[in-house]
Amino acid sequence: TLMLAAACQPASESASLASTEADIAAIRALQSDWNAAVEAGSADGYLAVLDDEIELLPTDAPPINGKDGYRAMLDGVFASDTFEIEVVDAGTIEVAGDIGYARYDYIIHRTPKTEGAQTVSSLRKFIDIMRRQPDGSWRVYKHIWNYNEPGVIP
């Protein structure tokens, strides 16, 4: 149906639709790389998907701005815990020019690295704002989430 709709559009609208679909695919690939970095505990892989001016807006904590602040947080998190991401709803991605956003739901399974520690799982709702880079690639510009369950320890 998408191809039929694109074929019925004037050439400029058809090209715009194709570009948007390519952008959405690129953002989905970014999300896949991001998830792989989290599950591997790779701060470098994680930081590779972030815009230089990233702002993290975590639940019940002050914002973290820039990659240096983000790295400091990630180094501590990855040193103490391992993570598995369960995609509950891949959600939606919308693109308008050089800005896009993604809305999705994951269950994050966090396991402390201390012997005998139990895995804690929490359903999280996310919204990310993406920004197109000068080379045409996409990076995460703003990242925010919250929990469905009360009293979750992040």
Side-chain angles (χ1 to χ4, degrees), residues 67-145:
K67 285 187 173 181
D68 289 342
Y70 222 116
R71 178 179 289 284
M73 183 270 301
L74 289 174
D75 287 344
V77 167
F78 289 152
S80 63
D81 299 293
T82 61
F83 297 87
E84 180 185 340
I85 297 172
E86 181 181 339
V87 177
V88 175
D89 182 354
T92 58
I93 296 174
E94 298 286 336
V95 173
D98 291 338
I99 297 292
Y101 83 87
R103 163 68 181 94
Y104 53 96
D105 298 328
Y106 289 169
I107 295 176
I108 305 295
H109 305 281
R110 179 181 58 85
T111 304
K113 291 182 177 178
T114 54
E115 189 173 330
Q118 298 295 311
T119 297
V120 176
S121 301
S122 59
L123 176 60
R124 301 179 190 195
K125 301 170 290 215
F126 295 86
I127 292 182
D128 297 316
I129 298 173
M130 312 293 184
R131 185 159 68 173
R132 189 186 314 270
Q133 304 299 294
D135 67 359
S137 66
W138 289 92
R139 296 290 177 259
V140 180
Y141 179 53
K142 307 286 182 186
H143 179 53
I144 186 169
W145 74 88

